[in-house]
Amino acid sequence: MSKPLTGRKVLLIAVGAFGIIIAVNLFMAFKAIGTFPGLEVKNSYVASQSFDADRAAQEALGWVVEPTYENGVLSLVIRDRAGLPARVAELNATVGRTTHVRDDIEPEFTYTGGLFMAPMTLDAGAWLIHLEAKASDGTTFRQRLDLNVKG
């Protein structure tokens, strides 16, 4: 003989099920917030004040950036509007995962034959490159590039 299903048992089952669901949701929310800050700029209002002028200056450069990763070397080709190597006075980049900042790397690039190259180890998967370069005339060029490393 089995015991009858009482109101108390149904209440405990319902509270237990919803308790597990709420606990899992809280755990996932804290992990999401803790691993991805979600910030592109520190103060979006301040950044918006010069956005249009910065964008116009950057578009006037006509630069196109092509990232590649092979044999432990990240390479960036930066070309101007004519397809020639762009005149880059300064180059900084942060390479990291799209979901968290734990693996962020700031590579040291060397310039050789129209290529900016940096030795680094990247695991397979999706990577994000935040690139900031300065043209010889002082114009700032910023771009966010996706890089998919095959494994």
Side-chain angles (χ1 to χ4, degrees), residues 9-57:
K9 287 183 183 176
V10 172
L11 177 64
L12 290 174
I13 290 169
V15 168
F18 281 108
I20 290 171
I21 292 169
I22 291 169
V24 169
N25 282 336
L26 287 173
F27 172 77
M28 297 297 277
F30 282 113
K31 286 303 264 184
I33 292 168
T35 58
F36 180 60
L39 293 177
E40 287 292 325
V41 294
K42 290 181 180 168
N43 187 327
S44 58
Y45 177 74
V46 172
S48 73
Q49 299 303 299
S50 63
F51 179 81
D52 288 333
D54 293 345
R55 182 183 50 139

mmCIF file of all heavy atoms in Angstrom, residues 9-57:
data_model
loop_
_atom_site.group_PDB
_atom_site.id
_atom_site.type_symbol
_atom_site.label_atom_id
_atom_site.label_comp_id
_atom_site.label_asym_id
_atom_site.label_seq_id
_atom_site.Cartn_x
_atom_site.Cartn_y
_atom_site.Cartn_z
ATOM 1 N N LYS A 9 2.281 17.164 1.115
ATOM 2 C CA LYS A 9 3.263 16.604 0.179
ATOM 3 C C LYS A 9 3.300 17.412 -1.118
ATOM 4 O O LYS A 9 4.374 17.685 -1.663
ATOM 5 C CB LYS A 9 2.945 15.141 -0.115
ATOM 6 C CG LYS A 9 3.256 14.208 1.037
ATOM 7 C CD LYS A 9 2.976 12.790 0.638
ATOM 8 C CE LYS A 9 3.207 11.850 1.814
ATOM 9 N NZ LYS A 9 2.866 10.474 1.488
ATOM 10 N N VAL A 10 2.132 17.786 -1.611
ATOM 11 C CA VAL A 10 2.071 18.594 -2.838
ATOM 12 C C VAL A 10 2.759 19.944 -2.619
ATOM 13 O O VAL A 10 3.507 20.427 -3.473
ATOM 14 C CB VAL A 10 0.604 18.782 -3.296
ATOM 15 C CG1 VAL A 10 0.523 19.783 -4.444
ATOM 16 C CG2 VAL A 10 -0.003 17.454 -3.700
ATOM 17 N N LEU A 11 2.523 20.552 -1.464
ATOM 18 C CA LEU A 11 3.178 21.818 -1.142
ATOM 19 C C LEU A 11 4.689 21.655 -1.098
ATOM 20 O O LEU A 11 5.434 22.468 -1.650
ATOM 21 C CB LEU A 11 2.662 22.371 0.192
ATOM 22 C CG LEU A 11 3.332 23.661 0.672
ATOM 23 C CD1 LEU A 11 3.031 24.797 -0.298
ATOM 24 C CD2 LEU A 11 2.884 24.009 2.073
ATOM 25 N N LEU A 12 5.200 20.602 -0.465
ATOM 26 C CA LEU A 12 6.650 20.368 -0.388
ATOM 27 C C LEU A 12 7.245 20.112 -1.772
ATOM 28 O O LEU A 12 8.344 20.597 -2.080
ATOM 29 C CB LEU A 12 6.942 19.198 0.551
ATOM 30 C CG LEU A 12 6.690 19.465 2.037
ATOM 31 C CD1 LEU A 12 6.879 18.188 2.854
ATOM 32 C CD2 LEU A 12 7.599 20.563 2.550
ATOM 33 N N ILE A 13 6.523 19.381 -2.616
ATOM 34 C CA ILE A 13 7.009 19.133 -3.976
ATOM 35 C C ILE A 13 7.078 20.453 -4.750
ATOM 36 O O ILE A 13 8.082 20.744 -5.420
ATOM 37 C CB ILE A 13 6.097 18.112 -4.695
ATOM 38 C CG1 ILE A 13 6.265 16.722 -4.073
ATOM 39 C CG2 ILE A 13 6.414 18.071 -6.189
ATOM 40 C CD1 ILE A 13 5.228 15.705 -4.526
ATOM 41 N N ALA A 14 6.039 21.271 -4.668
ATOM 42 C CA ALA A 14 5.998 22.538 -5.389
ATOM 43 C C ALA A 14 7.077 23.492 -4.888
ATOM 44 O O ALA A 14 7.804 24.107 -5.682
ATOM 45 C CB ALA A 14 4.614 23.186 -5.261
ATOM 46 N N VAL A 15 7.206 23.627 -3.565
ATOM 47 C CA VAL A 15 8.230 24.508 -2.995
ATOM 48 C C VAL A 15 9.623 24.012 -3.368
ATOM 49 O O VAL A 15 10.516 24.799 -3.727
ATOM 50 C CB VAL A 15 8.051 24.633 -1.464
ATOM 51 C CG1 VAL A 15 9.261 25.305 -0.825
ATOM 52 C CG2 VAL A 15 6.784 25.392 -1.128
ATOM 53 N N GLY A 16 9.850 22.707 -3.329
ATOM 54 C CA GLY A 16 11.156 22.144 -3.695
ATOM 55 C C GLY A 16 11.493 22.398 -5.153
ATOM 56 O O GLY A 16 12.615 22.793 -5.490
ATOM 57 N N ALA A 17 10.506 22.182 -6.058
ATOM 58 C CA ALA A 17 10.750 22.387 -7.486
ATOM 59 C C ALA A 17 11.055 23.850 -7.792
ATOM 60 O O ALA A 17 12.028 24.163 -8.484
ATOM 61 C CB ALA A 17 9.539 21.919 -8.292
ATOM 62 N N PHE A 18 10.237 24.759 -7.258
ATOM 63 C CA PHE A 18 10.484 26.179 -7.498
ATOM 64 C C PHE A 18 11.771 26.642 -6.813
ATOM 65 O O PHE A 18 12.468 27.519 -7.321
ATOM 66 C CB PHE A 18 9.285 27.029 -7.061
ATOM 67 C CG PHE A 18 8.182 27.019 -8.060
ATOM 68 C CD1 PHE A 18 7.003 26.330 -7.797
ATOM 69 C CD2 PHE A 18 8.308 27.668 -9.266
ATOM 70 C CE1 PHE A 18 5.979 26.302 -8.724
ATOM 71 C CE2 PHE A 18 7.286 27.659 -10.199
ATOM 72 C CZ PHE A 18 6.115 26.965 -9.929
ATOM 73 N N GLY A 19 12.102 26.073 -5.684
ATOM 74 C CA GLY A 19 13.356 26.403 -5.002
ATOM 75 C C GLY A 19 14.562 26.051 -5.856
ATOM 76 O O GLY A 19 15.522 26.828 -5.955
ATOM 77 N N ILE A 20 14.532 24.882 -6.500
ATOM 78 C CA ILE A 20 15.634 24.473 -7.382
ATOM 79 C C ILE A 20 15.719 25.406 -8.579
ATOM 80 O O ILE A 20 16.815 25.854 -8.967
ATOM 81 C CB ILE A 20 15.446 23.009 -7.825
ATOM 82 C CG1 ILE A 20 15.681 22.074 -6.635
ATOM 83 C CG2 ILE A 20 16.396 22.666 -8.971
ATOM 84 C CD1 ILE A 20 15.310 20.633 -6.891
ATOM 85 N N ILE A 21 14.588 25.734 -9.181
ATOM 86 C CA ILE A 21 14.580 26.633 -10.348
ATOM 87 C C ILE A 21 15.137 28.004 -9.982
ATOM 88 O O ILE A 21 15.977 28.564 -10.697
ATOM 89 C CB ILE A 21 13.149 26.757 -10.920
ATOM 90 C CG1 ILE A 21 12.716 25.426 -11.530
ATOM 91 C CG2 ILE A 21 13.063 27.883 -11.942
ATOM 92 C CD1 ILE A 21 11.248 25.358 -11.871
ATOM 93 N N ILE A 22 14.718 28.546 -8.867
ATOM 94 C CA ILE A 22 15.200 29.865 -8.435
ATOM 95 C C ILE A 22 16.687 29.815 -8.120
ATOM 96 O O ILE A 22 17.442 30.716 -8.493
ATOM 97 C CB ILE A 22 14.381 30.373 -7.231
ATOM 98 C CG1 ILE A 22 12.950 30.712 -7.688
ATOM 99 C CG2 ILE A 22 15.034 31.580 -6.578
ATOM 100 C CD1 ILE A 22 11.973 30.966 -6.564
ATOM 101 N N ALA A 23 17.145 28.759 -7.462
ATOM 102 C CA ALA A 23 18.573 28.627 -7.125
ATOM 103 C C ALA A 23 19.424 28.560 -8.385
ATOM 104 O O ALA A 23 20.478 29.217 -8.474
ATOM 105 C CB ALA A 23 18.792 27.398 -6.251
ATOM 106 N N VAL A 24 18.990 27.784 -9.376
ATOM 107 C CA VAL A 24 19.740 27.678 -10.627
ATOM 108 C C VAL A 24 19.754 29.022 -11.346
ATOM 109 O O VAL A 24 20.795 29.453 -11.860
ATOM 110 C CB VAL A 24 19.161 26.559 -11.523
ATOM 111 C CG1 VAL A 24 19.743 26.619 -12.927
ATOM 112 C CG2 VAL A 24 19.407 25.195 -10.906
ATOM 113 N N ASN A 25 18.632 29.727 -11.403
ATOM 114 C CA ASN A 25 18.586 31.045 -12.055
ATOM 115 C C ASN A 25 19.500 32.043 -11.368
ATOM 116 O O ASN A 25 20.208 32.819 -12.032
ATOM 117 C CB ASN A 25 17.151 31.576 -12.080
ATOM 118 C CG ASN A 25 16.321 30.934 -13.160
ATOM 119 O OD1 ASN A 25 16.854 30.437 -14.148
ATOM 120 N ND2 ASN A 25 15.016 30.939 -12.975
ATOM 121 N N LEU A 26 19.517 32.059 -10.057
ATOM 122 C CA LEU A 26 20.407 32.966 -9.331
ATOM 123 C C LEU A 26 21.870 32.636 -9.597
ATOM 124 O O LEU A 26 22.691 33.522 -9.816
ATOM 125 C CB LEU A 26 20.108 32.925 -7.828
ATOM 126 C CG LEU A 26 18.808 33.606 -7.391
ATOM 127 C CD1 LEU A 26 18.541 33.334 -5.913
ATOM 128 C CD2 LEU A 26 18.873 35.100 -7.647
ATOM 129 N N PHE A 27 22.203 31.347 -9.574
ATOM 130 C CA PHE A 27 23.574 30.918 -9.860
ATOM 131 C C PHE A 27 24.002 31.381 -11.249
ATOM 132 O O PHE A 27 25.086 31.945 -11.424
ATOM 133 C CB PHE A 27 23.688 29.391 -9.739
ATOM 134 C CG PHE A 27 25.004 28.858 -10.192
ATOM 135 C CD1 PHE A 27 26.131 28.969 -9.388
ATOM 136 C CD2 PHE A 27 25.135 28.245 -11.430
ATOM 137 C CE1 PHE A 27 27.354 28.486 -9.810
ATOM 138 C CE2 PHE A 27 26.353 27.757 -11.855
ATOM 139 C CZ PHE A 27 27.462 27.870 -11.044
ATOM 140 N N MET A 28 23.151 31.162 -12.256
ATOM 141 C CA MET A 28 23.492 31.549 -13.627
ATOM 142 C C MET A 28 23.610 33.071 -13.763
ATOM 143 O O MET A 28 24.491 33.562 -14.468
ATOM 144 C CB MET A 28 22.431 31.013 -14.599
ATOM 145 C CG MET A 28 22.352 29.492 -14.639
ATOM 146 S SD MET A 28 23.859 28.739 -15.220
ATOM 147 C CE MET A 28 23.607 28.892 -16.955
ATOM 148 N N ALA A 29 22.747 33.811 -13.100
ATOM 149 C CA ALA A 29 22.811 35.275 -13.168
ATOM 150 C C ALA A 29 24.110 35.790 -12.550
ATOM 151 O O ALA A 29 24.770 36.664 -13.119
ATOM 152 C CB ALA A 29 21.607 35.889 -12.462
ATOM 153 N N PHE A 30 24.505 35.257 -11.401
ATOM 154 C CA PHE A 30 25.745 35.699 -10.767
ATOM 155 C C PHE A 30 26.962 35.319 -11.610
ATOM 156 O O PHE A 30 27.913 36.086 -11.713
ATOM 157 C CB PHE A 30 25.882 35.137 -9.355
ATOM 158 C CG PHE A 30 25.044 35.871 -8.349
ATOM 159 C CD1 PHE A 30 23.969 35.241 -7.726
ATOM 160 C CD2 PHE A 30 25.302 37.190 -8.021
ATOM 161 C CE1 PHE A 30 23.182 35.913 -6.811
ATOM 162 C CE2 PHE A 30 24.528 37.878 -7.106
ATOM 163 C CZ PHE A 30 23.456 37.231 -6.495
ATOM 164 N N LYS A 31 26.947 34.150 -12.240
ATOM 165 C CA LYS A 31 28.068 33.751 -13.105
ATOM 166 C C LYS A 31 28.140 34.666 -14.334
ATOM 167 O O LYS A 31 29.219 35.051 -14.757
ATOM 168 C CB LYS A 31 27.916 32.296 -13.554
ATOM 169 C CG LYS A 31 28.206 31.285 -12.478
ATOM 170 C CD LYS A 31 29.579 31.441 -11.903
ATOM 171 C CE LYS A 31 30.559 30.527 -12.552
ATOM 172 N NZ LYS A 31 31.885 30.598 -11.957
ATOM 173 N N ALA A 32 26.990 35.006 -14.905
ATOM 174 C CA ALA A 32 26.974 35.874 -16.087
ATOM 175 C C ALA A 32 27.508 37.260 -15.755
ATOM 176 O O ALA A 32 28.306 37.828 -16.503
ATOM 177 C CB ALA A 32 25.555 35.973 -16.642
ATOM 178 N N ILE A 33 27.089 37.819 -14.660
ATOM 179 C CA ILE A 33 27.539 39.148 -14.265
ATOM 180 C C ILE A 33 29.009 39.140 -13.867
ATOM 181 O O ILE A 33 29.760 40.049 -14.191
ATOM 182 C CB ILE A 33 26.671 39.698 -13.114
ATOM 183 C CG1 ILE A 33 25.264 39.969 -13.621
ATOM 184 C CG2 ILE A 33 27.280 40.955 -12.513
ATOM 185 C CD1 ILE A 33 24.261 40.238 -12.532
ATOM 186 N N GLY A 34 29.441 38.085 -13.197
ATOM 187 C CA GLY A 34 30.818 38.017 -12.714
ATOM 188 C C GLY A 34 31.852 37.781 -13.791
ATOM 189 O O GLY A 34 33.004 38.152 -13.644
ATOM 190 N N THR A 35 31.469 37.178 -14.938
ATOM 191 C CA THR A 35 32.451 36.872 -15.971
ATOM 192 C C THR A 35 32.431 37.823 -17.144
ATOM 193 O O THR A 35 33.342 37.831 -17.949
ATOM 194 C CB THR A 35 32.242 35.442 -16.509
ATOM 195 O OG1 THR A 35 30.914 35.330 -17.032
ATOM 196 C CG2 THR A 35 32.444 34.411 -15.415
ATOM 197 N N PHE A 36 31.387 38.647 -17.282
ATOM 198 C CA PHE A 36 31.301 39.570 -18.409
ATOM 199 C C PHE A 36 30.837 40.934 -17.915
ATOM 200 O O PHE A 36 29.685 41.096 -17.543
ATOM 201 C CB PHE A 36 30.319 39.046 -19.461
ATOM 202 C CG PHE A 36 30.182 39.964 -20.653
ATOM 203 C CD1 PHE A 36 31.275 40.276 -21.434
ATOM 204 C CD2 PHE A 36 28.960 40.506 -20.977
ATOM 205 C CE1 PHE A 36 31.150 41.118 -22.520
ATOM 206 C CE2 PHE A 36 28.825 41.348 -22.070
ATOM 207 C CZ PHE A 36 29.921 41.643 -22.843
ATOM 208 N N PRO A 37 31.732 41.907 -17.885
ATOM 209 C CA PRO A 37 31.352 43.209 -17.349
ATOM 210 C C PRO A 37 30.357 43.961 -18.223
ATOM 211 O O PRO A 37 29.623 44.810 -17.746
ATOM 212 C CB PRO A 37 32.672 43.959 -17.260
ATOM 213 C CG PRO A 37 33.529 43.326 -18.292
ATOM 214 C CD PRO A 37 33.115 41.874 -18.336
ATOM 215 N N GLY A 38 30.329 43.669 -19.534
ATOM 216 C CA GLY A 38 29.371 44.317 -20.411
ATOM 217 C C GLY A 38 29.702 45.748 -20.763
ATOM 218 O O GLY A 38 28.893 46.440 -21.361
ATOM 219 N N LEU A 39 30.892 46.221 -20.418
ATOM 220 C CA LEU A 39 31.257 47.615 -20.679
ATOM 221 C C LEU A 39 32.020 47.745 -21.989
ATOM 222 O O LEU A 39 32.969 47.026 -22.238
ATOM 223 C CB LEU A 39 32.131 48.157 -19.552
ATOM 224 C CG LEU A 39 31.484 48.319 -18.188
ATOM 225 C CD1 LEU A 39 32.518 48.793 -17.187
ATOM 226 C CD2 LEU A 39 30.328 49.282 -18.242
ATOM 227 N N GLU A 40 31.585 48.661 -22.808
ATOM 228 C CA GLU A 40 32.341 49.041 -23.989
ATOM 229 C C GLU A 40 33.097 50.337 -23.713
ATOM 230 O O GLU A 40 34.211 50.508 -24.154
ATOM 231 C CB GLU A 40 31.409 49.227 -25.189
ATOM 232 C CG GLU A 40 30.859 47.936 -25.750
ATOM 233 C CD GLU A 40 31.916 47.075 -26.407
ATOM 234 O OE1 GLU A 40 32.849 47.619 -27.019
ATOM 235 O OE2 GLU A 40 31.801 45.852 -26.308
ATOM 236 N N VAL A 41 32.443 51.248 -23.021
ATOM 237 C CA VAL A 41 33.060 52.510 -22.615
ATOM 238 C C VAL A 41 32.692 52.772 -21.158
ATOM 239 O O VAL A 41 31.664 52.317 -20.677
ATOM 240 C CB VAL A 41 32.609 53.703 -23.493
ATOM 241 C CG1 VAL A 41 33.109 53.559 -24.919
ATOM 242 C CG2 VAL A 41 31.120 53.878 -23.472
ATOM 243 N N LYS A 42 33.526 53.536 -20.462
ATOM 244 C CA LYS A 42 33.270 53.795 -19.043
ATOM 245 C C LYS A 42 32.065 54.707 -18.837
ATOM 246 O O LYS A 42 31.298 54.537 -17.915
ATOM 247 C CB LYS A 42 34.502 54.383 -18.378
ATOM 248 C CG LYS A 42 35.608 53.377 -18.262
ATOM 249 C CD LYS A 42 36.831 53.929 -17.585
ATOM 250 C CE LYS A 42 37.874 52.832 -17.533
ATOM 251 N NZ LYS A 42 39.161 53.267 -17.181
ATOM 252 N N ASN A 43 31.901 55.702 -19.703
ATOM 253 C CA ASN A 43 30.785 56.626 -19.561
ATOM 254 C C ASN A 43 30.190 56.849 -20.948
ATOM 255 O O ASN A 43 30.750 57.579 -21.757
ATOM 256 C CB ASN A 43 31.265 57.949 -18.959
ATOM 257 C CG ASN A 43 30.125 58.880 -18.637
ATOM 258 O OD1 ASN A 43 29.108 58.909 -19.325
ATOM 259 N ND2 ASN A 43 30.290 59.653 -17.575
ATOM 260 N N SER A 44 29.048 56.230 -21.207
ATOM 261 C CA SER A 44 28.465 56.283 -22.545
ATOM 262 C C SER A 44 28.025 57.693 -22.934
ATOM 263 O O SER A 44 28.079 58.070 -24.103
ATOM 264 C CB SER A 44 27.293 55.311 -22.653
ATOM 265 O OG SER A 44 26.318 55.619 -21.692
ATOM 266 N N TYR A 45 27.604 58.498 -21.973
ATOM 267 C CA TYR A 45 27.185 59.859 -22.296
ATOM 268 C C TYR A 45 28.367 60.686 -22.798
ATOM 269 O O TYR A 45 28.279 61.377 -23.817
ATOM 270 C CB TYR A 45 26.549 60.543 -21.082
ATOM 271 C CG TYR A 45 26.171 61.978 -21.361
ATOM 272 C CD1 TYR A 45 25.062 62.276 -22.145
ATOM 273 C CD2 TYR A 45 26.945 63.026 -20.889
ATOM 274 C CE1 TYR A 45 24.739 63.588 -22.440
ATOM 275 C CE2 TYR A 45 26.626 64.335 -21.182
ATOM 276 C CZ TYR A 45 25.516 64.615 -21.956
ATOM 277 O OH TYR A 45 25.201 65.908 -22.256
ATOM 278 N N VAL A 46 29.483 60.608 -22.103
ATOM 279 C CA VAL A 46 30.677 61.356 -22.516
ATOM 280 C C VAL A 46 31.152 60.867 -23.883
ATOM 281 O O VAL A 46 31.499 61.672 -24.749
ATOM 282 C CB VAL A 46 31.793 61.224 -21.453
ATOM 283 C CG1 VAL A 46 33.093 61.813 -21.953
ATOM 284 C CG2 VAL A 46 31.365 61.890 -20.153
ATOM 285 N N ALA A 47 31.143 59.551 -24.093
ATOM 286 C CA ALA A 47 31.575 58.996 -25.377
ATOM 287 C C ALA A 47 30.659 59.438 -26.513
ATOM 288 O O ALA A 47 31.108 59.632 -27.646
ATOM 289 C CB ALA A 47 31.625 57.479 -25.302
ATOM 290 N N SER A 48 29.386 59.622 -26.228
ATOM 291 C CA SER A 48 28.442 59.999 -27.283
ATOM 292 C C SER A 48 28.628 61.434 -27.755
ATOM 293 O O SER A 48 28.204 61.774 -28.867
ATOM 294 C CB SER A 48 27.009 59.805 -26.785
ATOM 295 O OG SER A 48 26.663 60.804 -25.843
ATOM 296 N N GLN A 49 29.233 62.280 -26.944
ATOM 297 C CA GLN A 49 29.379 63.696 -27.294
ATOM 298 C C GLN A 49 30.267 63.915 -28.515
ATOM 299 O O GLN A 49 30.072 64.855 -29.272
ATOM 300 C CB GLN A 49 29.924 64.495 -26.103
ATOM 301 C CG GLN A 49 29.025 64.448 -24.888
ATOM 302 C CD GLN A 49 27.626 64.954 -25.192
ATOM 303 O OE1 GLN A 49 27.433 66.092 -25.565
ATOM 304 N NE2 GLN A 49 26.644 64.087 -25.048
ATOM 305 N N SER A 50 31.253 63.052 -28.704
ATOM 306 C CA SER A 50 32.153 63.217 -29.847
ATOM 307 C C SER A 50 32.041 62.062 -30.841
ATOM 308 O O SER A 50 32.865 61.950 -31.750
ATOM 309 C CB SER A 50 33.594 63.338 -29.353
ATOM 310 O OG SER A 50 33.979 62.139 -28.697
ATOM 311 N N PHE A 51 31.034 61.226 -30.694
ATOM 312 C CA PHE A 51 30.911 60.020 -31.525
ATOM 313 C C PHE A 51 30.861 60.340 -33.015
ATOM 314 O O PHE A 51 31.597 59.760 -33.811
ATOM 315 C CB PHE A 51 29.688 59.202 -31.114
ATOM 316 C CG PHE A 51 29.493 57.978 -31.950
ATOM 317 C CD1 PHE A 51 30.218 56.830 -31.695
ATOM 318 C CD2 PHE A 51 28.606 57.977 -33.018
ATOM 319 C CE1 PHE A 51 30.055 55.699 -32.471
ATOM 320 C CE2 PHE A 51 28.438 56.852 -33.800
ATOM 321 C CZ PHE A 51 29.166 55.711 -33.530
ATOM 322 N N ASP A 52 29.983 61.245 -33.418
ATOM 323 C CA ASP A 52 29.816 61.543 -34.844
ATOM 324 C C ASP A 52 31.092 62.110 -35.462
ATOM 325 O O ASP A 52 31.476 61.725 -36.567
ATOM 326 C CB ASP A 52 28.642 62.494 -35.064
ATOM 327 C CG ASP A 52 27.306 61.815 -34.832
ATOM 328 O OD1 ASP A 52 27.217 60.587 -35.011
ATOM 329 O OD2 ASP A 52 26.346 62.514 -34.454
ATOM 330 N N ALA A 53 31.753 63.013 -34.764
ATOM 331 C CA ALA A 53 33.002 63.600 -35.289
ATOM 332 C C ALA A 53 34.102 62.534 -35.369
ATOM 333 O O ALA A 53 34.837 62.480 -36.360
ATOM 334 C CB ALA A 53 33.448 64.757 -34.405
ATOM 335 N N ASP A 54 34.200 61.687 -34.339
ATOM 336 C CA ASP A 54 35.210 60.614 -34.343
ATOM 337 C C ASP A 54 34.951 59.631 -35.479
ATOM 338 O O ASP A 54 35.881 59.188 -36.160
ATOM 339 C CB ASP A 54 35.216 59.869 -33.009
ATOM 340 C CG ASP A 54 35.688 60.733 -31.856
ATOM 341 O OD1 ASP A 54 36.274 61.811 -32.111
ATOM 342 O OD2 ASP A 54 35.463 60.337 -30.688
ATOM 343 N N ARG A 55 33.684 59.281 -35.672
ATOM 344 C CA ARG A 55 33.328 58.338 -36.738
ATOM 345 C C ARG A 55 33.657 58.913 -38.111
ATOM 346 O O ARG A 55 34.215 58.225 -38.973
ATOM 347 C CB ARG A 55 31.852 57.980 -36.654
ATOM 348 C CG ARG A 55 31.430 56.958 -37.706
ATOM 349 C CD ARG A 55 29.978 56.705 -37.633
ATOM 350 N NE ARG A 55 29.289 57.993 -37.644
ATOM 351 C CZ ARG A 55 28.190 58.253 -38.305
ATOM 352 N NH1 ARG A 55 27.610 57.313 -38.989
ATOM 353 N NH2 ARG A 55 27.632 59.438 -38.266
ATOM 354 N N ALA A 56 33.333 60.173 -38.329
ATOM 355 C CA ALA A 56 33.611 60.810 -39.619
ATOM 356 C C ALA A 56 35.117 60.847 -39.896
ATOM 357 O O ALA A 56 35.552 60.572 -41.022
ATOM 358 C CB ALA A 56 33.025 62.219 -39.647
ATOM 359 N N ALA A 57 35.908 61.185 -38.884
ATOM 360 C CA ALA A 57 37.370 61.218 -39.056
ATOM 361 C C ALA A 57 37.911 59.825 -39.346
ATOM 362 O O ALA A 57 38.791 59.656 -40.196
ATOM 363 C CB ALA A 57 38.022 61.792 -37.799
#
